Amino acid sequence: MANSKYAYVRSFELPDNILPGTYMIVRLDGHSFHKFSTDHGFTKPNDETALRLMDAAAIQIMQAYPEVTMAFGESDEFSFLLRKSCNLFNRRSSKIASTFASLFAATYTYRWAEFFPNTPLQYPPSFDGRVVAYPSSVEIRDYFSWRQADTHINNLYNTTFWALVLNGNLTTAEAHGKLKGTSSSQKQEILFGQFGINYNALPERFRKGSVLYRQEATASVETPAAGVDNTPGQGSITATSIVPPRRPRREIVVEHCDIIGPAFWSSRPSILGGQPSPE
């Protein structure tokens, strides 16, 4: 930036760097997505196509920023884990949050027609973002356990609520009143007893959310075998030999699995930087 008599205004910018040597989690939330989902006719209580579009936007974030080792999504939110050594944008909170939110929203909009070819986008979606620092893998595991527990709680409520409205002919106010103060077991009893719905048999995507992480791809690549004429034409002979790639290729995996408890983390130590997870 050029030096001028006006440059003093930069002194009003406050530093917002995240503490070095800590994990960072970027959490994005859809803005007014209850209205957005209604205006675009999303299926209640879960629209699988909309959830897959969220996954696609999250994959774009991970492809753009290799510093992200894991992401978790449910409904209209996604959380991204950045490794301790990450120095993206000099760890400036506002720049990380705004860049992630803008790329996520842009991807969601850009790929909308691919996922919803028969539903015109009425207005652009928006997402807010925040960055939070966590000191150790203990807090990271607890954070993602919290988000997955929230996924289950919200989905159980919404599944029961919409069953009462769509199949039980209750108004939304009546459904909210019927569910007020009910436990998880009582909600499951309503689903099974009144509507024959076994909650535990519903798709894991709805009950557990989406878990994205990187793993090494093991596929080999094909190259022409040495000393073989590979020129197309009459009588030509073609052959290939299998050789390993020069370097391991890491691909982004999307799963809908349990991340509460040690099993997930102990089998994927690279997510936390190779550090052993506490049991």
Side-chain angles (χ1 to χ4, degrees), residues 110-152:
Y110 182 74
R111 299 192 64 181
W112 173 269
E114 176 186 339
F115 286 83
F116 292 97
N118 300 316
T119 304
L121 187 62
Q122 298 184 35
Y123 50 87
S126 62
F127 295 82
D128 66 71
R130 75 205 74 174
V131 184
V132 182
Y134 293 94
S136 75
S137 60
V138 175
E139 290 81 15
I140 293 299
R141 282 178 44 177
D142 286 349
Y143 173 87
F144 284 109
S145 295
W146 167 52
R147 298 321 303 144
Q148 188 165 73
D150 187 72
T151 302
H152 161 70

mmCIF file of all heavy atoms in Angstrom, residues 110-152:
data_model
loop_
_atom_site.group_PDB
_atom_site.id
_atom_site.type_symbol
_atom_site.label_atom_id
_atom_site.label_comp_id
_atom_site.label_asym_id
_atom_site.label_seq_id
_atom_site.Cartn_x
_atom_site.Cartn_y
_atom_site.Cartn_z
ATOM 1 N N TYR A 110 -22.852 -21.437 -7.030
ATOM 2 C CA TYR A 110 -22.335 -21.851 -8.335
ATOM 3 C C TYR A 110 -22.838 -23.241 -8.721
ATOM 4 O O TYR A 110 -23.127 -23.505 -9.898
ATOM 5 C CB TYR A 110 -20.805 -21.832 -8.281
ATOM 6 C CG TYR A 110 -20.118 -22.199 -9.568
ATOM 7 C CD1 TYR A 110 -20.086 -21.314 -10.649
ATOM 8 C CD2 TYR A 110 -19.481 -23.427 -9.710
ATOM 9 C CE1 TYR A 110 -19.443 -21.646 -11.827
ATOM 10 C CE2 TYR A 110 -18.840 -23.769 -10.881
ATOM 11 C CZ TYR A 110 -18.827 -22.879 -11.939
ATOM 12 O OH TYR A 110 -18.187 -23.220 -13.110
ATOM 13 N N ARG A 111 -22.953 -24.131 -7.736
ATOM 14 C CA ARG A 111 -23.330 -25.511 -8.029
ATOM 15 C C ARG A 111 -24.811 -25.802 -7.759
ATOM 16 O O ARG A 111 -25.242 -26.956 -7.841
ATOM 17 C CB ARG A 111 -22.438 -26.463 -7.226
ATOM 18 C CG ARG A 111 -20.953 -26.319 -7.566
ATOM 19 C CD ARG A 111 -20.112 -27.429 -7.004
ATOM 20 N NE ARG A 111 -20.468 -28.722 -7.572
ATOM 21 C CZ ARG A 111 -19.884 -29.867 -7.220
ATOM 22 N NH1 ARG A 111 -18.922 -29.857 -6.307
ATOM 23 N NH2 ARG A 111 -20.253 -31.007 -7.770
ATOM 24 N N TRP A 112 -25.562 -24.782 -7.414
ATOM 25 C CA TRP A 112 -26.978 -24.962 -7.110
ATOM 26 C C TRP A 112 -27.715 -25.696 -8.231
ATOM 27 O O TRP A 112 -28.419 -26.683 -7.998
ATOM 28 C CB TRP A 112 -27.641 -23.622 -6.836
ATOM 29 C CG TRP A 112 -29.128 -23.709 -6.676
ATOM 30 C CD1 TRP A 112 -30.089 -23.583 -7.652
ATOM 31 C CD2 TRP A 112 -29.858 -23.977 -5.470
ATOM 32 N NE1 TRP A 112 -31.345 -23.739 -7.131
ATOM 33 C CE2 TRP A 112 -31.228 -23.991 -5.790
ATOM 34 C CE3 TRP A 112 -29.458 -24.201 -4.143
ATOM 35 C CZ2 TRP A 112 -32.216 -24.217 -4.829
ATOM 36 C CZ3 TRP A 112 -30.451 -24.433 -3.187
ATOM 37 C CH2 TRP A 112 -31.810 -24.437 -3.534
ATOM 38 N N ALA A 113 -27.578 -25.216 -9.476
ATOM 39 C CA ALA A 113 -28.324 -25.793 -10.595
ATOM 40 C C ALA A 113 -27.933 -27.238 -10.856
ATOM 41 O O ALA A 113 -28.733 -28.020 -11.394
ATOM 42 C CB ALA A 113 -28.102 -24.956 -11.853
ATOM 43 N N GLU A 114 -26.718 -27.631 -10.491
ATOM 44 C CA GLU A 114 -26.275 -29.009 -10.646
ATOM 45 C C GLU A 114 -27.055 -29.940 -9.733
ATOM 46 O O GLU A 114 -27.391 -31.072 -10.101
ATOM 47 C CB GLU A 114 -24.777 -29.088 -10.343
ATOM 48 C CG GLU A 114 -24.186 -30.472 -10.363
ATOM 49 C CD GLU A 114 -22.737 -30.482 -9.923
ATOM 50 O OE1 GLU A 114 -22.079 -29.421 -9.982
ATOM 51 O OE2 GLU A 114 -22.251 -31.551 -9.511
ATOM 52 N N PHE A 115 -27.361 -29.463 -8.527
ATOM 53 C CA PHE A 115 -28.066 -30.288 -7.550
ATOM 54 C C PHE A 115 -29.576 -30.084 -7.612
ATOM 55 O O PHE A 115 -30.339 -31.000 -7.299
ATOM 56 C CB PHE A 115 -27.550 -29.981 -6.143
ATOM 57 C CG PHE A 115 -26.186 -30.540 -5.861
ATOM 58 C CD1 PHE A 115 -25.046 -29.864 -6.265
ATOM 59 C CD2 PHE A 115 -26.036 -31.749 -5.201
ATOM 60 C CE1 PHE A 115 -23.785 -30.377 -6.016
ATOM 61 C CE2 PHE A 115 -24.783 -32.279 -4.946
ATOM 62 C CZ PHE A 115 -23.650 -31.592 -5.361
ATOM 63 N N PHE A 116 -30.012 -28.876 -7.981
ATOM 64 C CA PHE A 116 -31.439 -28.559 -8.061
ATOM 65 C C PHE A 116 -31.776 -28.028 -9.456
ATOM 66 O O PHE A 116 -32.103 -26.848 -9.617
ATOM 67 C CB PHE A 116 -31.820 -27.527 -6.998
ATOM 68 C CG PHE A 116 -31.741 -28.025 -5.587
ATOM 69 C CD1 PHE A 116 -30.614 -27.773 -4.813
ATOM 70 C CD2 PHE A 116 -32.786 -28.736 -5.021
ATOM 71 C CE1 PHE A 116 -30.544 -28.221 -3.502
ATOM 72 C CE2 PHE A 116 -32.722 -29.197 -3.706
ATOM 73 C CZ PHE A 116 -31.597 -28.943 -2.948
ATOM 74 N N PRO A 117 -31.697 -28.876 -10.486
ATOM 75 C CA PRO A 117 -31.912 -28.395 -11.854
ATOM 76 C C PRO A 117 -33.321 -27.883 -12.117
ATOM 77 O O PRO A 117 -33.522 -27.093 -13.046
ATOM 78 C CB PRO A 117 -31.600 -29.634 -12.705
ATOM 79 C CG PRO A 117 -31.821 -30.796 -11.782
ATOM 80 C CD PRO A 117 -31.404 -30.317 -10.425
ATOM 81 N N ASN A 118 -34.278 -28.306 -11.318
ATOM 82 C CA ASN A 118 -35.669 -27.904 -11.546
ATOM 83 C C ASN A 118 -36.167 -26.866 -10.545
ATOM 84 O O ASN A 118 -37.360 -26.571 -10.506
ATOM 85 C CB ASN A 118 -36.578 -29.142 -11.499
ATOM 86 C CG ASN A 118 -36.210 -30.166 -12.550
ATOM 87 O OD1 ASN A 118 -35.949 -29.823 -13.704
ATOM 88 N ND2 ASN A 118 -36.168 -31.439 -12.166
ATOM 89 N N THR A 119 -35.243 -26.327 -9.734
ATOM 90 C CA THR A 119 -35.625 -25.332 -8.728
ATOM 91 C C THR A 119 -34.748 -24.097 -8.897
ATOM 92 O O THR A 119 -33.582 -24.103 -8.488
ATOM 93 C CB THR A 119 -35.456 -25.893 -7.300
ATOM 94 O OG1 THR A 119 -36.200 -27.099 -7.165
ATOM 95 C CG2 THR A 119 -35.945 -24.884 -6.267
ATOM 96 N N PRO A 120 -35.260 -23.044 -9.507
ATOM 97 C CA PRO A 120 -34.457 -21.831 -9.681
ATOM 98 C C PRO A 120 -34.071 -21.230 -8.331
ATOM 99 O O PRO A 120 -34.863 -21.235 -7.385
ATOM 100 C CB PRO A 120 -35.393 -20.884 -10.451
ATOM 101 C CG PRO A 120 -36.418 -21.781 -11.071
ATOM 102 C CD PRO A 120 -36.591 -22.926 -10.124
ATOM 103 N N LEU A 121 -32.851 -20.749 -8.245
ATOM 104 C CA LEU A 121 -32.383 -20.082 -7.030
ATOM 105 C C LEU A 121 -33.018 -18.696 -6.969
ATOM 106 O O LEU A 121 -32.786 -17.853 -7.835
ATOM 107 C CB LEU A 121 -30.852 -19.972 -7.046
ATOM 108 C CG LEU A 121 -30.172 -19.449 -5.777
ATOM 109 C CD1 LEU A 121 -30.439 -20.374 -4.596
ATOM 110 C CD2 LEU A 121 -28.669 -19.310 -6.011
ATOM 111 N N GLN A 122 -33.833 -18.454 -5.946
ATOM 112 C CA GLN A 122 -34.586 -17.213 -5.873
ATOM 113 C C GLN A 122 -33.745 -16.040 -5.399
ATOM 114 O O GLN A 122 -33.990 -14.893 -5.774
ATOM 115 C CB GLN A 122 -35.794 -17.398 -4.944
ATOM 116 C CG GLN A 122 -36.778 -18.459 -5.427
ATOM 117 C CD GLN A 122 -37.998 -18.541 -4.535
ATOM 118 O OE1 GLN A 122 -38.461 -17.529 -4.002
ATOM 119 N NE2 GLN A 122 -38.526 -19.745 -4.363
ATOM 120 N N TYR A 123 -32.777 -16.313 -4.540
ATOM 121 C CA TYR A 123 -31.881 -15.273 -4.050
ATOM 122 C C TYR A 123 -30.641 -15.949 -3.486
ATOM 123 O O TYR A 123 -30.677 -17.135 -3.138
ATOM 124 C CB TYR A 123 -32.548 -14.405 -2.976
ATOM 125 C CG TYR A 123 -33.213 -15.162 -1.854
ATOM 126 C CD1 TYR A 123 -32.492 -15.551 -0.719
ATOM 127 C CD2 TYR A 123 -34.577 -15.471 -1.909
ATOM 128 C CE1 TYR A 123 -33.104 -16.240 0.310
ATOM 129 C CE2 TYR A 123 -35.197 -16.166 -0.881
ATOM 130 C CZ TYR A 123 -34.458 -16.547 0.227
ATOM 131 O OH TYR A 123 -35.063 -17.231 1.253
ATOM 132 N N PRO A 124 -29.520 -15.236 -3.413
ATOM 133 C CA PRO A 124 -28.271 -15.892 -2.994
ATOM 134 C C PRO A 124 -28.275 -16.244 -1.511
ATOM 135 O O PRO A 124 -28.745 -15.460 -0.679
ATOM 136 C CB PRO A 124 -27.197 -14.851 -3.314
ATOM 137 C CG PRO A 124 -27.922 -13.547 -3.314
ATOM 138 C CD PRO A 124 -29.307 -13.832 -3.804
ATOM 139 N N PRO A 125 -27.735 -17.411 -1.159
ATOM 140 C CA PRO A 125 -27.582 -17.774 0.252
ATOM 141 C C PRO A 125 -26.386 -17.053 0.853
ATOM 142 O O PRO A 125 -25.486 -16.606 0.139
ATOM 143 C CB PRO A 125 -27.334 -19.282 0.194
ATOM 144 C CG PRO A 125 -26.618 -19.460 -1.111
ATOM 145 C CD PRO A 125 -27.219 -18.459 -2.056
ATOM 146 N N SER A 126 -26.372 -16.932 2.157
ATOM 147 C CA SER A 126 -25.221 -16.328 2.838
ATOM 148 C C SER A 126 -24.894 -17.129 4.087
ATOM 149 O O SER A 126 -25.755 -17.793 4.662
ATOM 150 C CB SER A 126 -25.499 -14.861 3.204
ATOM 151 O OG SER A 126 -26.595 -14.752 4.096
ATOM 152 N N PHE A 127 -23.623 -17.067 4.478
ATOM 153 C CA PHE A 127 -23.132 -17.808 5.638
ATOM 154 C C PHE A 127 -22.260 -16.882 6.478
ATOM 155 O O PHE A 127 -21.487 -16.088 5.944
ATOM 156 C CB PHE A 127 -22.303 -19.018 5.193
ATOM 157 C CG PHE A 127 -23.085 -20.057 4.444
ATOM 158 C CD1 PHE A 127 -23.339 -19.902 3.083
ATOM 159 C CD2 PHE A 127 -23.580 -21.181 5.086
ATOM 160 C CE1 PHE A 127 -24.055 -20.850 2.376
ATOM 161 C CE2 PHE A 127 -24.309 -22.132 4.385
ATOM 162 C CZ PHE A 127 -24.553 -21.963 3.029
ATOM 163 N N ASP A 128 -22.408 -16.979 7.798
ATOM 164 C CA ASP A 128 -21.505 -16.252 8.682
ATOM 165 C C ASP A 128 -20.420 -17.199 9.158
ATOM 166 O O ASP A 128 -20.577 -18.420 9.128
ATOM 167 C CB ASP A 128 -22.250 -15.639 9.872
ATOM 168 C CG ASP A 128 -22.835 -16.705 10.810
ATOM 169 O OD1 ASP A 128 -22.043 -17.379 11.509
ATOM 170 O OD2 ASP A 128 -24.070 -16.847 10.856
ATOM 171 N N GLY A 129 -19.280 -16.643 9.577
ATOM 172 C CA GLY A 129 -18.164 -17.464 10.001
ATOM 173 C C GLY A 129 -17.491 -16.941 11.247
ATOM 174 O O GLY A 129 -17.513 -15.741 11.508
ATOM 175 N N ARG A 130 -16.916 -17.838 12.005
ATOM 176 C CA ARG A 130 -16.146 -17.473 13.191
ATOM 177 C C ARG A 130 -14.968 -18.430 13.301
ATOM 178 O O ARG A 130 -15.024 -19.556 12.805
ATOM 179 C CB ARG A 130 -17.009 -17.543 14.442
ATOM 180 C CG ARG A 130 -17.312 -18.945 14.929
ATOM 181 C CD ARG A 130 -18.574 -19.027 15.730
ATOM 182 N NE ARG A 130 -19.737 -18.919 14.882
ATOM 183 C CZ ARG A 130 -20.987 -19.063 15.302
ATOM 184 N NH1 ARG A 130 -21.211 -19.302 16.584
ATOM 185 N NH2 ARG A 130 -21.997 -18.960 14.479
ATOM 186 N N VAL A 131 -13.909 -17.984 13.949
ATOM 187 C CA VAL A 131 -12.720 -18.813 14.162
ATOM 188 C C VAL A 131 -12.470 -18.904 15.663
ATOM 189 O O VAL A 131 -12.439 -17.883 16.353
ATOM 190 C CB VAL A 131 -11.476 -18.227 13.468
ATOM 191 C CG1 VAL A 131 -10.284 -19.167 13.634
ATOM 192 C CG2 VAL A 131 -11.747 -17.979 11.988
ATOM 193 N N VAL A 132 -12.293 -20.124 16.148
ATOM 194 C CA VAL A 132 -12.048 -20.348 17.573
ATOM 195 C C VAL A 132 -10.779 -21.178 17.724
ATOM 196 O O VAL A 132 -10.565 -22.140 16.977
ATOM 197 C CB VAL A 132 -13.234 -21.079 18.241
ATOM 198 C CG1 VAL A 132 -12.979 -21.269 19.735
ATOM 199 C CG2 VAL A 132 -14.530 -20.304 18.020
ATOM 200 N N ALA A 133 -9.928 -20.789 18.666
ATOM 201 C CA ALA A 133 -8.688 -21.516 18.941
ATOM 202 C C ALA A 133 -8.901 -22.523 20.070
ATOM 203 O O ALA A 133 -9.586 -22.222 21.061
ATOM 204 C CB ALA A 133 -7.582 -20.534 19.322
ATOM 205 N N TYR A 134 -8.304 -23.708 19.922
ATOM 206 C CA TYR A 134 -8.373 -24.747 20.938
ATOM 207 C C TYR A 134 -6.964 -25.261 21.213
ATOM 208 O O TYR A 134 -6.198 -25.506 20.271
ATOM 209 C CB TYR A 134 -9.282 -25.891 20.492
ATOM 210 C CG TYR A 134 -10.737 -25.492 20.382
ATOM 211 C CD1 TYR A 134 -11.272 -25.079 19.161
ATOM 212 C CD2 TYR A 134 -11.565 -25.500 21.491
ATOM 213 C CE1 TYR A 134 -12.607 -24.703 19.053
ATOM 214 C CE2 TYR A 134 -12.900 -25.121 21.404
ATOM 215 C CZ TYR A 134 -13.411 -24.722 20.180
ATOM 216 O OH TYR A 134 -14.732 -24.335 20.078
ATOM 217 N N PRO A 135 -6.617 -25.455 22.469
ATOM 218 C CA PRO A 135 -5.219 -25.752 22.801
ATOM 219 C C PRO A 135 -4.755 -27.168 22.523
ATOM 220 O O PRO A 135 -3.581 -27.391 22.263
ATOM 221 C CB PRO A 135 -5.149 -25.455 24.306
ATOM 222 C CG PRO A 135 -6.547 -25.649 24.797
ATOM 223 C CD PRO A 135 -7.437 -25.203 23.674
ATOM 224 N N SER A 136 -5.652 -28.165 22.598
ATOM 225 C CA SER A 136 -5.194 -29.545 22.477
ATOM 226 C C SER A 136 -6.228 -30.407 21.770
ATOM 227 O O SER A 136 -7.357 -29.995 21.516
ATOM 228 C CB SER A 136 -4.899 -30.131 23.857
ATOM 229 O OG SER A 136 -6.112 -30.441 24.543
ATOM 230 N N SER A 137 -5.813 -31.666 21.495
ATOM 231 C CA SER A 137 -6.698 -32.608 20.822
ATOM 232 C C SER A 137 -7.902 -32.980 21.683
ATOM 233 O O SER A 137 -8.934 -33.401 21.157
ATOM 234 C CB SER A 137 -5.928 -33.868 20.435
ATOM 235 O OG SER A 137 -5.391 -34.497 21.584
ATOM 236 N N VAL A 138 -7.783 -32.823 22.992
ATOM 237 C CA VAL A 138 -8.913 -33.134 23.881
ATOM 238 C C VAL A 138 -10.094 -32.232 23.558
ATOM 239 O O VAL A 138 -11.232 -32.692 23.385
ATOM 240 C CB VAL A 138 -8.508 -32.980 25.363
ATOM 241 C CG1 VAL A 138 -9.722 -33.172 26.269
ATOM 242 C CG2 VAL A 138 -7.415 -33.980 25.723
ATOM 243 N N GLU A 139 -9.831 -30.921 23.464
ATOM 244 C CA GLU A 139 -10.907 -29.972 23.152
ATOM 245 C C GLU A 139 -11.437 -30.165 21.731
ATOM 246 O O GLU A 139 -12.629 -29.979 21.478
ATOM 247 C CB GLU A 139 -10.421 -28.530 23.339
ATOM 248 C CG GLU A 139 -10.183 -28.108 24.779
ATOM 249 C CD GLU A 139 -8.842 -28.566 25.312
ATOM 250 O OE1 GLU A 139 -7.967 -28.971 24.496
ATOM 251 O OE2 GLU A 139 -8.656 -28.539 26.543
ATOM 252 N N ILE A 140 -10.551 -30.542 20.810
ATOM 253 C CA ILE A 140 -10.992 -30.767 19.436
ATOM 254 C C ILE A 140 -11.982 -31.925 19.378
ATOM 255 O O ILE A 140 -13.053 -31.832 18.764
ATOM 256 C CB ILE A 140 -9.785 -31.041 18.513
ATOM 257 C CG1 ILE A 140 -8.927 -29.787 18.381
ATOM 258 C CG2 ILE A 140 -10.258 -31.516 17.142
ATOM 259 C CD1 ILE A 140 -9.639 -28.594 17.790
ATOM 260 N N ARG A 141 -11.627 -33.026 20.032
ATOM 261 C CA ARG A 141 -12.528 -34.174 20.045
ATOM 262 C C ARG A 141 -13.841 -33.827 20.734
ATOM 263 O O ARG A 141 -14.918 -34.235 20.285
ATOM 264 C CB ARG A 141 -11.859 -35.363 20.721
ATOM 265 C CG ARG A 141 -10.862 -36.076 19.820
ATOM 266 C CD ARG A 141 -10.176 -37.229 20.517
ATOM 267 N NE ARG A 141 -11.096 -38.066 21.295
ATOM 268 C CZ ARG A 141 -10.730 -39.155 21.928
ATOM 269 N NH1 ARG A 141 -9.471 -39.559 21.878
ATOM 270 N NH2 ARG A 141 -11.608 -39.850 22.617
ATOM 271 N N ASP A 142 -13.775 -33.085 21.824
ATOM 272 C CA ASP A 142 -15.000 -32.690 22.520
ATOM 273 C C ASP A 142 -15.845 -31.751 21.666
ATOM 274 O O ASP A 142 -17.083 -31.816 21.693
ATOM 275 C CB ASP A 142 -14.657 -32.026 23.854
ATOM 276 C CG ASP A 142 -14.197 -33.022 24.897
ATOM 277 O OD1 ASP A 142 -14.341 -34.241 24.676
ATOM 278 O OD2 ASP A 142 -13.670 -32.583 25.952
ATOM 279 N N TYR A 143 -15.177 -30.887 20.909
ATOM 280 C CA TYR A 143 -15.923 -29.964 20.040
ATOM 281 C C TYR A 143 -16.737 -30.746 19.012
ATOM 282 O O TYR A 143 -17.947 -30.517 18.850
ATOM 283 C CB TYR A 143 -14.978 -29.003 19.318
ATOM 284 C CG TYR A 143 -15.699 -28.153 18.278
ATOM 285 C CD1 TYR A 143 -16.303 -26.953 18.645
ATOM 286 C CD2 TYR A 143 -15.815 -28.579 16.956
ATOM 287 C CE1 TYR A 143 -16.996 -26.195 17.710
ATOM 288 C CE2 TYR A 143 -16.504 -27.829 16.021
ATOM 289 C CZ TYR A 143 -17.090 -26.639 16.399
ATOM 290 O OH TYR A 143 -17.791 -25.885 15.471
ATOM 291 N N PHE A 144 -16.077 -31.671 18.307
ATOM 292 C CA PHE A 144 -16.791 -32.413 17.273
ATOM 293 C C PHE A 144 -17.808 -33.385 17.877
ATOM 294 O O PHE A 144 -18.855 -33.654 17.264
ATOM 295 C CB PHE A 144 -15.796 -33.138 16.370
ATOM 296 C CG PHE A 144 -15.100 -32.223 15.394
ATOM 297 C CD1 PHE A 144 -13.757 -31.910 15.540
ATOM 298 C CD2 PHE A 144 -15.802 -31.648 14.339
ATOM 299 C CE1 PHE A 144 -13.125 -31.057 14.649
ATOM 300 C CE2 PHE A 144 -15.174 -30.791 13.443
ATOM 301 C CZ PHE A 144 -13.836 -30.487 13.593
ATOM 302 N N SER A 145 -17.539 -33.877 19.082
ATOM 303 C CA SER A 145 -18.549 -34.695 19.768
ATOM 304 C C SER A 145 -19.783 -33.860 20.083
ATOM 305 O O SER A 145 -20.923 -34.329 19.949
ATOM 306 C CB SER A 145 -17.960 -35.277 21.059
ATOM 307 O OG SER A 145 -16.911 -36.170 20.792
ATOM 308 N N TRP A 146 -19.552 -32.624 20.489
ATOM 309 C CA TRP A 146 -20.652 -31.693 20.783
ATOM 310 C C TRP A 146 -21.496 -31.451 19.544
ATOM 311 O O TRP A 146 -22.722 -31.489 19.587
ATOM 312 C CB TRP A 146 -20.071 -30.386 21.312
ATOM 313 C CG TRP A 146 -21.033 -29.240 21.378
ATOM 314 C CD1 TRP A 146 -22.264 -29.217 21.966
ATOM 315 C CD2 TRP A 146 -20.828 -27.924 20.852
ATOM 316 N NE1 TRP A 146 -22.842 -27.967 21.847
ATOM 317 C CE2 TRP A 146 -21.977 -27.162 21.157
ATOM 318 C CE3 TRP A 146 -19.769 -27.317 20.160
ATOM 319 C CZ2 TRP A 146 -22.119 -25.822 20.778
ATOM 320 C CZ3 TRP A 146 -19.901 -25.980 19.788
ATOM 321 C CH2 TRP A 146 -21.062 -25.253 20.094
ATOM 322 N N ARG A 147 -20.831 -31.239 18.388
ATOM 323 C CA ARG A 147 -21.577 -30.961 17.168
ATOM 324 C C ARG A 147 -22.355 -32.198 16.713
ATOM 325 O O ARG A 147 -23.481 -32.075 16.219
ATOM 326 C CB ARG A 147 -20.637 -30.491 16.044
ATOM 327 C CG ARG A 147 -19.882 -29.183 16.310
ATOM 328 C CD ARG A 147 -20.710 -28.124 17.020
ATOM 329 N NE ARG A 147 -21.931 -27.796 16.309
ATOM 330 C CZ ARG A 147 -23.067 -27.496 16.921
ATOM 331 N NH1 ARG A 147 -23.156 -27.505 18.254
ATOM 332 N NH2 ARG A 147 -24.131 -27.188 16.208
ATOM 333 N N GLN A 148 -21.758 -33.392 16.872
ATOM 334 C CA GLN A 148 -22.491 -34.581 16.450
ATOM 335 C C GLN A 148 -23.644 -34.888 17.405
ATOM 336 O O GLN A 148 -24.719 -35.326 16.963
ATOM 337 C CB GLN A 148 -21.573 -35.787 16.337
ATOM 338 C CG GLN A 148 -22.275 -36.998 15.718
ATOM 339 C CD GLN A 148 -21.329 -38.063 15.262
ATOM 340 O OE1 GLN A 148 -20.748 -38.762 16.085
ATOM 341 N NE2 GLN A 148 -21.161 -38.207 13.943
ATOM 342 N N ALA A 149 -23.449 -34.659 18.700
ATOM 343 C CA ALA A 149 -24.555 -34.833 19.647
ATOM 344 C C ALA A 149 -25.683 -33.860 19.317
ATOM 345 O O ALA A 149 -26.875 -34.211 19.389
ATOM 346 C CB ALA A 149 -24.061 -34.613 21.073
ATOM 347 N N ASP A 150 -25.326 -32.639 18.921
ATOM 348 C CA ASP A 150 -26.315 -31.636 18.522
ATOM 349 C C ASP A 150 -27.070 -32.095 17.278
ATOM 350 O O ASP A 150 -28.276 -31.870 17.150
ATOM 351 C CB ASP A 150 -25.612 -30.303 18.265
ATOM 352 C CG ASP A 150 -26.585 -29.168 18.015
ATOM 353 O OD1 ASP A 150 -27.238 -28.732 18.985
ATOM 354 O OD2 ASP A 150 -26.697 -28.714 16.855
ATOM 355 N N THR A 151 -26.353 -32.751 16.365
ATOM 356 C CA THR A 151 -26.992 -33.283 15.157
ATOM 357 C C THR A 151 -28.092 -34.273 15.523
ATOM 358 O O THR A 151 -29.214 -34.196 15.008
ATOM 359 C CB THR A 151 -25.946 -33.996 14.271
ATOM 360 O OG1 THR A 151 -24.908 -33.078 13.936
ATOM 361 C CG2 THR A 151 -26.582 -34.532 12.997
ATOM 362 N N HIS A 152 -27.770 -35.185 16.434
ATOM 363 C CA HIS A 152 -28.756 -36.190 16.853
ATOM 364 C C HIS A 152 -29.954 -35.533 17.541
ATOM 365 O O HIS A 152 -31.111 -35.839 17.225
ATOM 366 C CB HIS A 152 -28.103 -37.197 17.799
ATOM 367 C CG HIS A 152 -29.088 -37.979 18.613
ATOM 368 N ND1 HIS A 152 -29.918 -38.939 18.078
ATOM 369 C CD2 HIS A 152 -29.392 -37.914 19.937
ATOM 370 C CE1 HIS A 152 -30.686 -39.440 19.027
ATOM 371 N NE2 HIS A 152 -30.389 -38.838 20.165
#
